[in-house]
Amino acid sequence: MACGTRLYSSSLSHALFPVLINQTALSTKLLRFNRLYSTARLFSSPNRTNLPLLTQAKRRYGFSTKEDPVASPADLRFERPLKIVEYPDPILRAKNKRIDTFDDNLKKLVDEMFDVMYKTDGIGLSAPQVGINVQLMVFNPVGERGGGEEIVLVNPRVNKCSNKMIPYEEGCLSFPGIHADVERPESVKIDARDINGARFSVSLSDLPARVFQHEFDHLQGILFFERMTDDVLDSIREQLEALEKKYEDKTGLQSPEKIEARKRRKAAVGFGKS
């Protein structure tokens, strides 16, 4: 974690953190976590045996196993500066396409995503959050340019997750000012591609698993309030309604979804499978 260069290889010697907006209140917890878990324990290769094992889920999770549509050059086209897409913009619910072209344009998009992430005090960001509906996410656990390591995951999939569910407070750049507890599996095993298209697998435990799951949900069109208990959801209902009104005032359009009229639909507990 000493260097601040972008991580384009599949060597993931770093740590991820779950809350996608820097929060002073969490600093003590994060520092404690850093002391307890080395990067060797947080990220493991399937060929290594001295690292933590994932518990096989009792039932197989996942969305459709059909091949996702491939992003065209037009799907990856963007204009600077990128801006954060806020709830309830329908872009956050749109289908995100698989990336098959690993070129300079993709690297430029990644650069721009990191730029907007830093400017908004984030430590993680998915492409649909900046209006690009493709399967791409970026992280920097330090959340500061020039510090830590920058992580890029393309076309990520989850093939295993633990049975143990852990609650923890999360925030989201697409939900400014909203923070609430979300339960997620304690550990996951993922497959992804790096910025050059190389495939790799990695196991994530505890907090690193959480930040990945939050961003992966965005790639599936799932928003973090859908994984909250009814009581927790009720505690942020007024804030969600305020964002809906903000959208209507800004666009002149009716909000595409209303938390007031909505019965909390149960989001799939599992994840996509490649």
Side-chain angles (χ1 to χ4, degrees):
M1 297 179 63
C3 72
T5 57
R6 185 141 303 139
L7 188 63
Y8 286 147
S9 73
S10 60
S11 175
L12 300 182
S13 58
H14 44 259
L16 303 179
F17 295 88
V19 182
L20 306 183
I21 300 175
N22 288 327
Q23 297 180 55
T24 304
L26 293 180
S27 60
T28 302
K29 291 181 181 179
L30 295 178
L31 289 172
R32 184 181 302 116
F33 178 80
N34 263 339
R35 288 195 293 267
L36 291 176
Y37 294 90
S38 68
T39 51
R41 292 185 62 195
L42 297 176
F43 292 85
S44 63
S45 162
N47 297 321
R48 298 179 65 177
T49 58
N50 60 335
L51 300 176
L53 299 177
L54 284 160
T55 304
Q56 175 69 53
K58 290 182 179 179
R59 54 194 175 97
R60 188 168 292 278
Y61 302 120
F63 295 92
S64 173
T65 57
K66 294 180 180 178
E67 193 77 354
D68 292 324
V70 176
S72 67
D75 293 319
L76 288 161
R77 191 173 298 132
F78 65 94
E79 293 183 5
R80 299 179 178 88
L82 295 175
K83 295 181 180 180
I84 295 294
V85 175
E86 295 183 3
Y87 170 84
D89 195 302
I91 288 174
L92 296 174
R93 299 292 194 180
K95 180 76 174 180
N96 293 297
K97 297 181 180 180
R98 177 168 50 89
I99 296 172
D100 259 10
T101 302
F102 298 83
D103 57 9
D104 287 341
N105 183 67
L106 179 61
K107 292 180 180 179
K108 290 177 182 177
L109 174 58
V110 165
D111 288 340
E112 291 298 314
M113 287 178 64
F114 275 114
D115 284 344
V116 71
M117 185 188 79
Y118 293 131
K119 289 175 181 177
T120 51
D121 295 326
I123 62 172
L125 189 66
S126 64
Q129 288 182 277
V130 289
I132 311 296
N133 287 117
V134 297
Q135 297 177 20
L136 172 66
M137 61 176 78
V138 300
F139 303 95
N140 183 344
V142 173
E144 296 179 2
R145 189 185 305 278
E149 289 179 309
E150 295 178 333
I151 302 108
V152 181
L153 300 179
V154 182
N155 303 337
R157 287 291 183 271
V158 173
N159 55 44
K160 291 181 183 179
C161 61
S162 66
N163 295 324
K164 186 176 181 181
M165 304 289 288
I166 303 293
Y168 201 83
E169 185 179 84
E170 293 185 11
C172 181
L173 292 174
S174 294
F175 292 80
I178 299 180
H179 304 93
D181 284 350
V182 179
E183 284 195 352
R184 297 189 187 274
E186 183 180 32
S187 56
V188 292
K189 181 178 180 181
I190 73 168
D191 301 314
R193 288 190 173 194
D194 65 19
I195 194 67
N196 296 311
R199 299 179 185 273
F200 64 92
S201 297
V202 65
S203 294
L204 310 177
S205 300
D206 301 294
L207 295 177
R210 178 172 294 271
V211 67
F212 170 82
Q213 290 174 77
H214 181 113
E215 297 294 0
F216 186 78
D217 272 353
H218 275 299
L219 301 187
Q220 301 295 328
I222 295 174
L223 304 177
F224 77 146
F225 69 79
E226 295 176 272
R227 296 194 181 277
M228 296 175 186
T229 64
D230 291 331
D231 288 343
V232 173
L233 182 60
D234 285 342
S235 72
I236 65 167
R237 192 175 296 274
E238 289 185 3
Q239 291 171 283
L240 294 174
E241 290 173 346
L243 286 177
E244 292 165 1
K245 185 177 186 305
K246 178 181 177 182
Y247 175 86
E248 291 178 339
D249 292 344
K250 181 179 179 180
T251 65
L253 303 173
Q254 184 176 358
S255 174
E257 55 184 293
K258 292 276 193 178
I259 194 66
E260 180 183 10
R262 172 194 182 104
K263 286 185 177 179
R264 178 176 171 269
R265 79 173 170 87
K266 187 177 181 181
V269 256
F271 305 93
K273 187 180 179 184
S274 55

